[in-house]
Amino acid sequence: MSAPDPLSTGPAHPAGPVRPPAVPVGSGLRGGRGDVRFASLTVVALGVLGFGAGLLWVWLAPRAQFTVTSADGGLEVVGGGLVDPELFMADDGVYVLLMAGLGLIAGLAVWSRSARRGVVALVGLALGMVVASVSAMQLGSLLGRPPSDEQLSTVGAVVTTALDLNMLAALAVGPFVAVLVQVVAAVVAGRDDLGRPGTDLVPVAEPAVAQAPAPSGVVAQARPAGPTIQE
């Protein structure tokens, strides 16, 4: 039996190639400058849309008109009759419907930007809807302000009831609907990355492993190909 070849000793090499570990690429859901910029633009855009919602509130909210009958501020409903006590509740109802619709549209629009989905966009959406709700209320109250003392002292003048938000809790309707849309969409997506592109796993190349030098005094020889003949 032939003696073992000293040149053949050493660590065994694997039969096949070793796959390097995979790591995620992209910014993920941590956010970056692009996400912060997108959230800031969302706040500004919703603030502007809030003024539009305020104009719609002034146009759609029901209001009653009165005729001044005396210099002491006596009023009479134009056309006769009495003012419906549900008139002021209807003003709040119109505001709630407008802000709920804006929150629904804003939530879907932000979710459609799949590259910006995440916590930063959600915070920008909620903050933007708060700004929109306050802007709509302030503009509606400004344009629908109550009649002045001069108008109330002018006999025969026609004045209109003021437009005001009697239920301040309605300010939370818009942000709530917008955030609810995001939560429902995230649950339906069923993915930890929310379907955001740029978070796939890619392999990372491992550094080459240096081979140990041959022992001193041993000269490496090329082994001939083919079967080894035993003596």
Side-chain angles (χ1 to χ4, degrees), residues 13-226:
H13 295 283
V18 179
R19 295 183 178 179
V23 296
V25 297
S27 59
L29 301 180
R30 295 175 296 176
R33 293 183 179 179
D35 293 337
V36 175
R37 187 182 304 109
F38 176 72
S40 302
L41 292 176
T42 301
V43 174
V44 175
L46 289 177
V48 175
L49 292 176
F51 288 110
L55 293 176
L56 288 177
W57 186 33
V58 175
W59 182 39
L60 297 176
R63 302 167 68 184
Q65 290 185 338
F66 295 87
T67 302
V68 179
T69 57
S70 65
D72 297 335
L75 302 176
E76 181 182 355
V77 179
V78 175
L82 300 175
V83 178
D84 191 348
E86 297 182 357
L87 175 68
F88 302 102
M89 295 180 59
D91 294 342
D92 292 354
V94 172
Y95 177 86
V96 168
L97 291 177
L98 288 174
M99 299 315 301
L102 180 59
L104 177 62
I105 296 175
L108 294 176
V110 172
W111 181 261
S112 64
R113 293 295 302 275
S114 59
R116 298 304 177 193
R117 294 174 183 172
V119 178
V120 179
L122 180 63
V123 173
L125 175 63
L127 182 59
M129 284 305 305
V130 171
V131 174
S133 300
V134 175
S135 300
M137 181 193 68
Q138 294 293 339
L139 183 61
S141 300
L142 178 62
L143 297 181
R145 57 182 178 272
S148 63
D149 296 337
E150 181 180 357
Q151 291 175 328
L152 293 177
S153 60
T154 304
V155 179
V158 178
V159 295
T160 307
T161 56
L163 180 62
D164 195 10
L165 188 64
N166 303 288
M167 185 175 55
L168 294 181
L171 293 173
V173 173
F176 174 77
V177 173
V179 173
L180 181 62
V181 170
Q182 294 281 302
V183 173
V184 173
V187 173
V188 173
R191 296 179 55 178
D192 294 338
D193 58 356
L194 303 181
R196 176 170 177 166
T199 56
D200 299 332
L201 297 179
V202 297
V204 176
E206 293 183 345
V209 179
Q211 297 182 356
S216 60
V218 178
V219 179
Q221 299 180 357
R223 303 182 63 182

